[in-house]
Amino acid sequence: MADLTDLTLAEARDGVRSGTFSATELTQAHIDAVEGARGLNAFITETPERALAMAADSDARVAANDPRPMEGVPIAIKDLFCTDGVRTTAGSHILENFTPPYESSVTQNIWDAGGVLLGKTNLDEFAMGSSNENSFFGPVENPWRAADDGQSRVPGGSSGGSAAAVAANIAPGAIGTDTGGSIRQPAAFTGIVGMKPTYGRCSRWGTVAFASSLDQAGPMTRTVQDAAILLESMAGFDAKDSTSVDIAAPKFEAALTGEVKGLKIGIPDEYRLDGMPSEIEALWTQGAEWLRDAGAEIVPVSLPMTQYALPAYYIVAPAEASSNLARYDGIRYGLREDAEDLTDLYETTRASGFGGEVQRRILIGTYALSAGYYDAYYLKAQKVRTRIAEDFRQAFETVDVLLTPTAPSEAFVAGSKSDDPIAMYLNDVFTVPGSMAGLPGISVPAGNAANGLPLGLQILAKPFDEQTLFRAAHVLEMAAGVTARPTQWWKEAGA
Amino acid sequence: MALDKATVAKIAHLARLRVADDRLEGLASELSNILTWIEHLEEVDTEGVTPMSSVVEANLRQREDAITDGAKADDILANAPGTAAGFFTVPKVVE
């Protein structure tokens, strides 16, 4: 039998359902892969016993001829989703020993669809970062290394552990969260598909909150079809999340017709940045040509607010974070540093529990919301956000989807941007504008840089038009025909 | 806008984050750099623009005012760093 970890999520699902292999065999192969890839540091918590118990349940359902949509497929879960009885850390010292007594709605939906919990993946602390170097549990290594220097590359972030796990064939699918690009940018850096649904499509209930008006869960997989399958199991209305939108999730997999004839693809001129590597610009042009060759119409569009999206984001997201993270007080759960009085307890607990980037964002957010500065920063940013959304609304009057690069570079060398917060923030320059407007977006592996590292292209669509998004992404994926995979160097390193 | 050490100390206290005195200077310059970059927003004409309060074009739903959960004191206390007799404990706050 071929290696079960090489199967796509769709092949794994079909194989379990048809009895070609059991859910237990499939799960055991992935548990072995997790253990063999510890050198990547992709997981914070491995859950092999629970995985095998869930797989046994799946096998019983297959035997009873009652399989669910994703029966027996192992899924890696970003350690930001609360999992009942399984430690959930958010990559933070302050939640290092937190074990939720409840399950997030999105993960519950996955288990109800037959998914198997493989483990909890590493991430930037509280999902704040673009390199997965901000984790209390250590950085994640990108499975890809450049052909020319062989140095460790970051997997992107914040969903870096999920991205590395999928890219390294440790899991056929994983879920991440995307606030300003935290699914799409690591997907591009690791050569996989990463999809952020429309805000409100997936419930936020039971997901550790970073910036509540932006946070959205989404699938990370090796193919567009797999992303559609996984999203189908995650999405849906949830009364427990007040911003969950009461629309039934369509059959996303059925949207993949392989056909884009007549589709209008917008190319936003403002995404052409000074100093962008020429190979990314060339890939973007190539992507448009592929879609045109498949029958789509390429239309130049203008999104003049693009350059203001990132600075506006760095007011809105930290402001919401400073408010959301006020709950970590050392009293009800999480770390406590003992102190003489209550204020001391709060201040010392939070100072030792939060890492540098989280503290920086709490301080910016607190400042932006403080008396005398609220109008100049927070209110201004919220008005700019309205104008960003208006830009997209106008563009979507003439086009169906937008095509852009996902990130302004390939995966960078570990440690190379740690001392410059703004350089780090610029990783999300192409993903943040769509996030500010709540749009669905997807990163598709589209090629490789000269040094062999993967590059992605992003497609953005209208709110709740994930079907068109998936359809265009699928055609782009087929045209690009990327087959390169990372060499499995970590197998020796982890042995 | 350039933040001084005193402002950083004040924000840190508002955010209940203990910041050692010798870190104030460095943080002040780091945060000032970020704020200067953010101030590009001043270039945008937002006269008469409604600030976005929700990216979803929908009114918040109303729900039945009903008790749907409860009797989980043990669950709620399970992750607390300090408990006694079914309560959270805190340092003495009343003299």
Side-chain angles (χ1 to χ4, degrees), chain A residues 103-115 203 233-237:
Chain A
E103 189 76 27
S104 84
S105 294
V106 158
T107 48
Q108 187 61 54
N109 288 345
I110 292 173
W111 316 142
D112 290 347
S203 171
S233 79
M234 299 166 65
F237 173 64

Side-chain angles (χ1 to χ4, degrees), chain B residues 56-80:
Chain B
V56 180
E57 289 175 33
N59 292 322
L60 284 179
R61 288 183 304 279
Q62 304 238 319
R63 61 166 170 79
E64 195 97 351
D65 184 16
I67 297 167
T68 58
D69 207 354
K72 289 180 176 165
D74 290 347
D75 277 357
I76 289 165
L77 291 172
N79 281 287

Side-chain angles (χ1 to χ4, degrees), chain A residues 334-404:
Chain A
L335 181 79
R336 169 186 291 194
E337 296 288 349
D338 281 310
E340 288 299 305
D341 68 48
L342 197 54
T343 303
D344 261 359
L345 184 151
Y346 292 148
E347 292 189 345
T348 52
T349 295
R350 290 163 60 82
S352 86
F354 293 135
E357 180 61 23
V358 172
Q359 294 196 28
R360 191 181 287 138
R361 294 200 199 185
I362 290 174
L363 291 172
I364 291 175
T366 303
Y367 182 65
L369 293 175
S370 64
Y373 298 99
Y374 180 90
D375 285 6
Y377 289 105
Y378 188 70
L379 204 63
K380 179 78 181 180
Q382 291 289 60
K383 288 177 179 176
V384 173
R385 193 173 175 188
T386 298
R387 291 206 56 190
I388 294 164
E390 181 58 21
D391 263 9
F392 281 111
R393 201 190 58 72
Q394 282 184 6
F396 284 128
E397 283 174 2
T398 52
V399 299
D400 298 299
V401 297
L402 298 163
L403 178 73
T404 79

Side-chain angles (χ1 to χ4, degrees), chain A residues 199-204 212-213 215-216 237-246 464, chain B residues 54 56 60-61:
Chain A
Y199 182 83
R201 182 67 94 181
C202 287
S203 171
R204 291 181 297 107
S212 303
S213 78
D215 296 343
Q216 191 58 204
F237 173 64
D238 180 11
K240 289 189 279 193
D241 172 2
S242 62
T243 57
S244 170
V245 175
D246 195 356
F464 299 103
Chain B
S54 169
V56 180
L60 284 179
R61 288 183 304 279

